[in-house]
Amino acid sequence: MFGRPSSPARTYADLGRESDISTASPHRLIVLLFEGAQTAINVARVHAEQGNIAERGANISKAIEIISNGLKVSLDMEQGGELAVRLAALYDYMVSRLLWANMKNDIAALKEVLSLLGEIHGAWTQIDPEKQGG
């Protein structure tokens, strides 16, 4: 009735994601943020290649939201020291590249941000405390 129509599969996927979030450890939540940003950028790239400006922009906006208000906000600037400062700057850089990509339909900029996110995501998954027994 409100919003856009939803299929049963979409509803199930949304509920599955909500379940992931409600039971996830803080470490897993960060992994989900990386995955969400990467998915949004991949979808934006497809729409950019197809010339679908509105969907490209919506997905780039979603990625920016995740990076700015998810990944960057989750940094502990007091305890994180130099690493947190550098990550915050890198997240700001990613946002600026995504804005550029949206303004100029620059697929290379989308790929650049995907690569950067992929590197950090990979490093983050390597330090999973659950896999290290803690």
Side-chain angles (χ1 to χ4, degrees), residues 13-53:
D14 289 346
L15 289 173
R17 182 62 63 183
E18 286 177 24
S19 174
D20 282 351
I21 292 169
S22 67
T23 61
S25 68
H27 185 272
R28 177 74 180 133
L29 288 174
I30 300 300
V31 170
L32 292 171
L33 289 171
F34 279 117
E35 291 171 357
Q38 290 168 308
T39 298
I41 294 168
N42 276 317
V43 172
R45 190 175 76 189
V46 169
H47 286 295
E49 291 167 350
Q50 295 174 349
N52 189 341
I53 296 167

Side-chain angles (χ1 to χ4, degrees), residues 76-86:
D76 185 336
M77 301 307 283
E78 290 179 22
Q79 292 185 353
E82 182 69 18
L83 179 59
V85 170
R86 288 177 183 249

Side-chain angles (χ1 to χ4, degrees), residues 61-82:
S61 293
K62 181 187 277 187
I64 288 171
E65 179 75 16
I66 292 169
I67 293 167
S68 294
N69 296 321
L71 293 171
K72 185 177 176 188
V73 170
S74 71
L75 295 172
D76 185 336
M77 301 307 283
E78 290 179 22
Q79 292 185 353
E82 182 69 18

Side-chain angles (χ1 to χ4, degrees), residues 93-104:
Y93 173 76
M94 289 181 200
V95 167
S96 70
R97 293 299 288 153
L98 289 171
L99 290 169
W100 174 264
N102 197 32
M103 289 186 326
K104 302 295 184 180

